[in-house]
Amino acid sequence: MLLTLVIAYLLVTIAIGLVAAKRVKTTADFAVAGRHLPLAMIVTTTFATWFGSETVLGIPAKFIGGGLNGVIEDPFGAGTCLILVGVFFAGKLYRMNLLTISDYYRERFGRRVEVVASLIIMLSYLGWVSAQVTALGLVFNVLSGGAISVPLGMVIGVVSILAYTLFGGMWSVAITDFMQMIILVSGLAILAFFAAHQAGGADKVVALVVSRDLFRFLPEPNFKDGVFFLAAAITMMLGSIPQQDVFQRVMSANNLHSATRGPVIGGLCYIVFAFVPMFLVASALIIMPERAQMLLEQDPQKVLPTLVLERMPFVMQVLFFGALLSAIKSTASATLLAPSVTFTENIWRQFRPQMSDRQELKTMRITVLVFSTLVLIYAISMQGTSIYEMVSGAYQVTLVGAFVPLVAGLYWSRATTQGAVFSIVLGILTWLLFLMTPAGEEFPAQLAGLLAAVVGLLMGSLGPQALADQRASHHKLVVS
């Protein structure tokens, strides 16, 4: 019965998405909803995109294992990212009236940087989308009692998302996000009240968390722990900023006010509401202590679904899986759309410069289909990897390869194309060096890559000018 209701819910979201698809006439409609979304929808779509499988399944597992210190990357870093976007980036980018974030790299630094940045951004989505697909497979496997295998569940999930994303693009994503966020927030809030009652009161859950020292936020006072804590914090906080899904939501706004306020409100809501799944898993340690402890040792991501299925009435089960699917589908649809739009606009268009708007729209849809297939294959091959780790690892490449040129281009007039190239190359090479050698165990690879990217930008931008000044000075001495 539960599985039947879940399938019915999927069909309803598909129908809503297909109705929204009737609004899509141009590539701008498909990519940024024709820049017509009001503030409320910017808030819901940013919140819903961030609130994915890792928030419901991954973050609680990390929280129980390491306390707030273990989830600095997400939700704290991820939510802060949206706030920073709204305060420092949204206004400047919105005024430029671009279709993709990679368009900015072309306008500021030229074609070479545009293509490389596009490839970096597209690569980063592989892990994030795969995490959502993995979660979909897990949901269908649990709901069917194992009758539907995890890989088959992944296929069903991807097909259900493709059914509306392929045709409706950002319009369908935004409208389904709005509906799914209502289900998500109300469903998890009701579950939290019910779980608190079963645990003997919210104060009992909080007391358990305090007794396990899970509210500990700061790392141990030594260099190694401190620097790894900092690296984890900035991975999503800064690495998520040069991302097409964030940029799409900014550019979809119907005015500058919505573009700048929407991400800030969405980020604050995300940080606050991410505590609800943590509370639910903590309550499971009281409601079913032995079962929860066993699952924590085997697969912590199954604690919350098991609590709902084994200890809660049918209505609560419907609410939970409706909320979980809402979280996963909203994130997956956004992260399938973003890299597909980037590929078509910033890479494929260079081979077909005379492509009409209608042809470009068709190419975007084909790319969504192809990218979905690649993600599905990757997700199946990566079975067993933590959902949280798949998501957090996705942002390291954009942190070291795309963040510094974006900030420098917007806020430093002396940044040059050569500086951007040096930044990207040095940042990625340093990151890979630390990632593949024992050096990464002593100093975080993503932080090393970020620092190298800053050095590369300064060298590439200021070096030629310093050399020219030196030559001019030498020439004056010779003349005199």
Side-chain angles (χ1 to χ4, degrees):
M1 183 62 180
L2 183 58
L3 183 59
T4 302
L5 287 174
V6 166
I7 292 173
Y9 170 68
L10 291 178
L11 293 175
V12 169
T13 58
I14 290 171
I16 292 171
L18 290 176
V19 170
K22 293 180 179 180
R23 291 173 173 259
V24 177
K25 308 297 181 184
T26 66
T27 52
D29 291 335
F30 190 82
V32 292
R35 289 168 67 101
H36 290 311
L37 299 185
L39 176 61
M41 293 190 75
I42 298 298
V43 171
T44 55
T45 193
T46 49
F47 175 89
T49 299
W50 248 227
F51 208 101
S53 61
E54 71 283 357
T55 316
V56 181
L57 302 176
I59 289 176
K62 292 283 288 186
F63 171 69
I64 293 299
L68 291 180
N69 178 263
V71 294
I72 177 61
E73 193 167 346
D74 192 6
F76 296 106
T80 304
C81 162
L82 291 177
I83 296 170
L84 293 176
V85 166
V87 174
F88 297 106
F89 296 90
K92 287 179 175 289
L93 293 171
Y94 186 81
R95 291 187 185 97
M96 295 180 72
N97 195 23
L98 306 171
L99 195 64
T100 71
I101 186 69
S102 297
D103 285 347
Y104 168 78
Y105 291 98
R106 181 186 66 243
E107 295 290 325
R108 184 65 173 83
F109 299 115
R111 285 286 186 188
R112 287 181 301 169
V113 176
E114 173 197 10
V115 172
V116 175
S118 298
L119 292 172
I120 290 171
I121 291 168
M122 288 167 57
L123 179 64
S124 71
Y125 280 101
L126 200 57
W128 195 13
V129 188
S130 297
Q132 313 313 313
V133 173
T134 299
L136 285 168
L138 179 65
V139 168
F140 282 106
N141 178 257
V142 170
L143 286 177
S144 65
I148 297 176
S149 66
V150 173
L152 180 57
M154 292 181 186
V155 174
I156 295 171
V158 169
V159 169
S160 70
I161 296 165
L162 264 178
Y164 62 84
T165 306
L166 192 63
F167 298 102
M170 190 61 196
W171 264 121
S172 290
V173 169
I175 291 174
T176 52
D177 278 356
F178 186 81
M179 181 198 74
Q180 286 168 166
M181 199 200 83
I182 295 171
I183 296 171
L184 170 66
V185 170
S186 57
L188 288 180
I190 293 169
L191 277 165
F193 279 110
F194 195 83
H197 175 73
Q198 285 192 324
D203 57 320
K204 297 282 180 63
V205 180
V206 173
L208 175 68
V209 171
V210 171
S211 69
R212 292 195 170 206
D213 197 24
L214 296 181
F215 282 137
R216 180 174 56 86
F217 183 74
L218 295 175
E220 295 296 326
N222 59 68
F223 176 78
K224 185 174 181 180
D225 286 345
V227 80
F228 273 90
F229 178 83
L230 175 63
I234 65 172
T235 298
M236 292 185 73
M237 185 188 300
L238 306 182
S240 299
I241 291 175
Q243 287 283 8
Q244 175 60 17
D245 61 283
V246 178
F247 178 82
Q248 276 181 299
R249 276 134 194 81
V250 169
M251 296 305 293
S252 297
N254 59 4
N255 55 53
L256 184 62
H257 178 271
S258 299
T260 54
R261 300 294 190 277
V264 173
I265 299 171
L268 290 171
C269 291
Y270 176 71
I271 293 173
V272 171
F273 205 74
F275 278 90
V276 176
M278 293 187 234
F279 177 87
L280 286 168
V281 171
S283 67
L285 296 175
I286 298 175
I287 298 169
M288 49 175 206
E290 295 180 3
R291 184 84 165 114
Q293 194 58 47
M294 182 185 72
L295 288 170
L296 286 173
E297 295 171 2
Q298 295 176 352
D299 187 353
Q301 294 170 162
K302 290 186 177 180
V303 174
L304 192 46
T306 303
L307 168 68
V308 174
L309 283 174
E310 295 186 359
R311 297 302 178 95
M312 293 194 176
F314 183 73
V315 174
M316 294 295 141
Q317 294 174 17
V318 173
L319 281 173
F320 171 75
F321 284 102
L324 178 57
L325 280 172
S326 295
I328 298 170
K329 283 169 67 64
S330 59
T331 301
S333 58
T335 49
L336 282 176
L337 180 64
S340 304
V341 171
T342 299
F343 173 81
T344 306
E345 174 69 12
N346 302 107
I347 296 179
W348 184 252
R349 178 173 271 283
Q350 299 193 37
F351 298 101
R352 298 286 300 276
Q354 305 302 320
M355 187 167 47
S356 67
D357 189 82
R358 186 172 181 177
Q359 289 172 324
E360 185 176 3
L361 179 57
K362 181 179 179 182
T363 305
M364 284 182 180
R365 285 170 167 157
I366 292 172
T367 308
V368 170
L369 182 60
V370 172
F371 187 74
S372 302
T373 304
L374 293 175
V375 164
L376 183 59
I377 294 169
Y378 180 77
I380 291 173
S381 67
M382 291 293 288
Q383 281 187 81
T385 305
S386 161
I387 290 173
Y388 190 93
E389 298 303 326
M390 288 174 77
V391 171
S392 62
Y395 293 104
Q396 292 190 22
V397 64
T398 45
L399 174 67
V400 303
F403 174 71
V404 172
L406 175 63
V407 176
L410 287 172
Y411 285 98
W412 190 39
S413 60
R414 297 181 68 183
T416 65
T417 298
Q418 181 171 292
V421 172
F422 274 36
S423 175
I424 293 170
V425 172
L426 199 57
I428 290 179
L429 288 179
T430 304
W431 172 61
L432 290 174
L433 177 65
F434 275 73
L435 206 60
M436 298 177 177
T437 64
E441 298 175 7
E442 300 300 321
F443 194 87
Q446 68 268 42
L447 184 55
L450 178 63
L451 295 174
V454 173
V455 171
L457 183 92
L458 295 174
M459 287 173 53
S461 298
L462 298 179
Q465 185 60 49
L467 186 60
D469 291 344
Q470 187 178 18
R471 285 175 179 172
S473 178
H474 178 71
H475 179 70
K476 287 180 181 179
L477 286 173
V478 170
V479 171
S480 61

PDB file of all heavy atoms in Angstrom, residues 137-149:
ATOM      1  N   GLY A 137      17.287   4.782  -5.192  1.00  0.00           N
ATOM      2  CA  GLY A 137      17.390   3.322  -5.223  1.00  0.00           C
ATOM      3  C   GLY A 137      17.174   2.723  -3.852  1.00  0.00           C
ATOM      4  O   GLY A 137      16.491   1.698  -3.698  1.00  0.00           O
ATOM      5  N   LEU A 138      17.755   3.373  -2.832  1.00  0.00           N
ATOM      6  CA  LEU A 138      17.607   2.898  -1.458  1.00  0.00           C
ATOM      7  C   LEU A 138      16.152   2.971  -1.005  1.00  0.00           C
ATOM      8  O   LEU A 138      15.639   2.042  -0.371  1.00  0.00           O
ATOM      9  CB  LEU A 138      18.493   3.749  -0.532  1.00  0.00           C
ATOM     10  CG  LEU A 138      18.454   3.413   0.953  1.00  0.00           C
ATOM     11  CD1 LEU A 138      19.020   2.023   1.200  1.00  0.00           C
ATOM     12  CD2 LEU A 138      19.244   4.458   1.751  1.00  0.00           C
ATOM     13  N   VAL A 139      15.458   4.054  -1.345  1.00  0.00           N
ATOM     14  CA  VAL A 139      14.055   4.227  -0.949  1.00  0.00           C
ATOM     15  C   VAL A 139      13.177   3.129  -1.535  1.00  0.00           C
ATOM     16  O   VAL A 139      12.384   2.493  -0.821  1.00  0.00           O
ATOM     17  CB  VAL A 139      13.533   5.617  -1.387  1.00  0.00           C
ATOM     18  CG1 VAL A 139      12.008   5.684  -1.245  1.00  0.00           C
ATOM     19  CG2 VAL A 139      14.185   6.710  -0.562  1.00  0.00           C
ATOM     20  N   PHE A 140      13.306   2.884  -2.833  1.00  0.00           N
ATOM     21  CA  PHE A 140      12.477   1.859  -3.472  1.00  0.00           C
ATOM     22  C   PHE A 140      12.821   0.459  -2.955  1.00  0.00           C
ATOM     23  O   PHE A 140      11.945  -0.402  -2.831  1.00  0.00           O
ATOM     24  CB  PHE A 140      12.641   1.913  -4.986  1.00  0.00           C
ATOM     25  CG  PHE A 140      11.870   3.035  -5.630  1.00  0.00           C
ATOM     26  CD1 PHE A 140      12.518   4.164  -6.112  1.00  0.00           C
ATOM     27  CD2 PHE A 140      10.488   2.979  -5.730  1.00  0.00           C
ATOM     28  CE1 PHE A 140      11.806   5.207  -6.689  1.00  0.00           C
ATOM     29  CE2 PHE A 140       9.762   4.015  -6.302  1.00  0.00           C
ATOM     30  CZ  PHE A 140      10.423   5.132  -6.782  1.00  0.00           C
ATOM     31  N   ASN A 141      14.085   0.237  -2.629  1.00  0.00           N
ATOM     32  CA  ASN A 141      14.502  -1.050  -2.077  1.00  0.00           C
ATOM     33  C   ASN A 141      13.869  -1.280  -0.703  1.00  0.00           C
ATOM     34  O   ASN A 141      13.358  -2.380  -0.413  1.00  0.00           O
ATOM     35  CB  ASN A 141      16.030  -1.090  -1.990  1.00  0.00           C
ATOM     36  CG  ASN A 141      16.543  -2.380  -1.375  1.00  0.00           C
ATOM     37  OD1 ASN A 141      16.937  -2.414  -0.206  1.00  0.00           O
ATOM     38  ND2 ASN A 141      16.528  -3.456  -2.147  1.00  0.00           N
ATOM     39  N   VAL A 142      13.884  -0.247   0.144  1.00  0.00           N
ATOM     40  CA  VAL A 142      13.318  -0.356   1.490  1.00  0.00           C
ATOM     41  C   VAL A 142      11.800  -0.501   1.426  1.00  0.00           C
ATOM     42  O   VAL A 142      11.209  -1.342   2.118  1.00  0.00           O
ATOM     43  CB  VAL A 142      13.703   0.885   2.330  1.00  0.00           C
ATOM     44  CG1 VAL A 142      12.918   0.908   3.637  1.00  0.00           C
ATOM     45  CG2 VAL A 142      15.197   0.896   2.620  1.00  0.00           C
ATOM     46  N   LEU A 143      11.139   0.302   0.590  1.00  0.00           N
ATOM     47  CA  LEU A 143       9.676   0.272   0.502  1.00  0.00           C
ATOM     48  C   LEU A 143       9.149  -1.064  -0.017  1.00  0.00           C
ATOM     49  O   LEU A 143       8.060  -1.501   0.365  1.00  0.00           O
ATOM     50  CB  LEU A 143       9.192   1.398  -0.410  1.00  0.00           C
ATOM     51  CG  LEU A 143       9.245   2.819   0.157  1.00  0.00           C
ATOM     52  CD1 LEU A 143       8.804   3.823  -0.891  1.00  0.00           C
ATOM     53  CD2 LEU A 143       8.359   2.935   1.392  1.00  0.00           C
ATOM     54  N   SER A 144       9.911  -1.679  -0.904  1.00  0.00           N
ATOM     55  CA  SER A 144       9.446  -2.941  -1.490  1.00  0.00           C
ATOM     56  C   SER A 144       9.890  -4.157  -0.683  1.00  0.00           C
ATOM     57  O   SER A 144       9.640  -5.300  -1.098  1.00  0.00           O
ATOM     58  CB  SER A 144       9.963  -3.062  -2.925  1.00  0.00           C
ATOM     59  OG  SER A 144      11.382  -3.154  -2.939  1.00  0.00           O
ATOM     60  N   GLY A 145      10.558  -3.912   0.440  1.00  0.00           N
ATOM     61  CA  GLY A 145      11.044  -5.025   1.245  1.00  0.00           C
ATOM     62  C   GLY A 145      12.114  -5.836   0.544  1.00  0.00           C
ATOM     63  O   GLY A 145      12.259  -7.030   0.797  1.00  0.00           O
ATOM     64  N   GLY A 146      12.857  -5.201  -0.338  1.00  0.00           N
ATOM     65  CA  GLY A 146      13.928  -5.875  -1.062  1.00  0.00           C
ATOM     66  C   GLY A 146      13.514  -6.430  -2.408  1.00  0.00           C
ATOM     67  O   GLY A 146      14.354  -6.905  -3.175  1.00  0.00           O
ATOM     68  N   ALA A 147      12.200  -6.384  -2.721  1.00  0.00           N
ATOM     69  CA  ALA A 147      11.718  -6.922  -4.002  1.00  0.00           C
ATOM     70  C   ALA A 147      12.278  -6.112  -5.181  1.00  0.00           C
ATOM     71  O   ALA A 147      12.556  -6.659  -6.246  1.00  0.00           O
ATOM     72  CB  ALA A 147      10.194  -6.926  -4.032  1.00  0.00           C
ATOM     73  N   ILE A 148      12.413  -4.800  -4.981  1.00  0.00           N
ATOM     74  CA  ILE A 148      13.038  -3.944  -5.989  1.00  0.00           C
ATOM     75  C   ILE A 148      14.490  -3.735  -5.581  1.00  0.00           C
ATOM     76  O   ILE A 148      14.775  -3.209  -4.505  1.00  0.00           O
ATOM     77  CB  ILE A 148      12.321  -2.580  -6.089  1.00  0.00           C
ATOM     78  CG1 ILE A 148      10.879  -2.762  -6.544  1.00  0.00           C
ATOM     79  CG2 ILE A 148      13.051  -1.647  -7.058  1.00  0.00           C
ATOM     80  CD1 ILE A 148      10.063  -1.472  -6.568  1.00  0.00           C
ATOM     81  N   SER A 149      15.407  -4.172  -6.413  1.00  0.00           N
ATOM     82  CA  SER A 149      16.819  -4.017  -6.088  1.00  0.00           C
ATOM     83  C   SER A 149      17.196  -2.543  -6.109  1.00  0.00           C
ATOM     84  O   SER A 149      16.502  -1.720  -6.710  1.00  0.00           O
ATOM     85  CB  SER A 149      17.683  -4.783  -7.096  1.00  0.00           C
ATOM     86  OG  SER A 149      17.563  -4.209  -8.391  1.00  0.00           O
TER      87      SER A 149
END
